[in-house]
Amino acid sequence: MKKILSIALLCMLSISLHAQDNEAIKFLGIPVDGSKYEMIRKLKAKGFTYYYDSDYLSGEFNGEDVEIAILTNKNKVWRVAVCYSSHMDENQIIIRFNRLCEQFFQNKKYVALSGNWRDYLIPEDTNLYREIEINDNEFQAIYVLADAPYSNNVVWFSLNYLLGEYFIYIYYDNMNNQANGEDL
């Protein structure tokens, strides 16, 4: 009888862990999964504006104006890409990037992939232009779900320099829906 109960318990634990691994990461409480149309509809219900001709949404996220792109594979959402709309100089963007690292650390839904969120911080005296454009360095931070750290769900953000301006992009990825070369 103990053996049967043990096997049943292991099966239930296995099913629970598998379900947790397959649970999609959420952006604003919306699973990064399903159709693009449904994701757009749900974001519009949260106050975002969709621009059909350019295929992006705009609105407020984390206290900032942002633009959002939704990426799909085989009609299933695999990424929500968020770009902060406001233009920032080097000092402002470093502060904003470091603040995002701290906000993710304080949010108990996530843990830093590196193990220590402080590994991602950018020193305030960093010359970003030199580091990005000349030294070809990248500034990124990667977080996984605390309750499912080995799942295929990640949130990561990067600092980018494009045409003389600095931007932060945040990506909410459901890698279960990402293309994996099956169409090659």
Side-chain angles (χ1 to χ4, degrees):
M1 182 68 165
K2 285 184 180 178
K3 194 174 192 179
I4 293 172
L5 286 174
S6 295
I7 291 171
L9 183 62
L10 285 173
C11 287
M12 288 173 36
L13 180 62
S14 175
I15 291 168
S16 173
L17 289 174
H18 181 69
Q20 197 175 46
D21 183 49
N22 289 331
E23 184 177 320
I25 196 157
K26 294 179 180 173
F27 173 72
L28 291 174
I30 305 166
V32 178
D33 202 7
S35 75
K36 184 175 185 175
Y37 170 79
E38 280 300 309
M39 177 64 83
I40 291 169
R41 185 183 65 73
K42 290 175 182 176
L43 287 171
K44 285 172 67 177
K46 290 189 175 271
F48 285 84
T49 302
Y50 181 62
Y51 297 94
Y52 294 93
D53 54 336
S54 304
D55 194 27
Y56 76 94
L57 296 108
S58 69
E60 186 176 320
F61 171 72
N62 198 26
E64 300 274 343
D65 290 331
V66 297
E67 296 173 351
I68 298 173
I70 300 169
L71 286 76
T72 62
N73 176 46
K74 297 190 187 242
N75 226 11
K76 288 187 88 175
V77 176
W78 75 273
R79 172 178 279 172
V80 173
V82 181
C83 177
Y84 284 91
S85 302
S86 56
H87 304 286
M88 296 177 243
D89 64 24
E90 277 195 21
N91 293 330
Q92 293 169 324
I93 202 85
I94 289 172
I95 290 168
R96 186 71 191 119
F97 185 91
N98 289 345
R99 178 71 181 128
L100 271 174
C101 290
E102 184 180 342
Q103 287 175 328
F104 273 94
F105 166 72
Q106 291 174 351
N107 188 326
K108 298 306 174 198
K109 291 189 299 189
Y110 305 103
V111 293
L113 187 63
S114 72
N116 184 351
W117 69 279
R118 293 183 189 279
D119 293 345
Y120 301 134
L121 296 178
I122 303 171
E124 289 182 17
D125 62 346
T126 301
N127 180 325
L128 286 181
Y129 178 80
R130 182 179 64 233
E131 291 302 319
I132 294 171
E133 288 296 303
I134 298 170
N135 296 339
D136 204 29
N137 286 330
E138 295 180 342
F139 296 97
Q140 299 178 343
I142 305 169
Y143 292 84
V144 295
L145 296 173
D147 61 350
Y150 303 106
S151 73
N152 284 327
N153 294 287
V154 296
V155 177
W156 61 285
F157 50 95
S158 64
L159 189 151
N160 298 284
Y161 182 77
L162 181 64
L163 303 173
E165 297 189 73
Y166 295 97
F167 299 92
I168 292 177
Y169 294 95
I170 304 176
Y171 305 98
Y172 288 75
D173 289 355
N174 176 351
M175 309 280 257
N176 292 321
N177 294 344
Q178 178 182 355
N180 290 309
E182 63 272 7
D183 292 339
L184 298 178

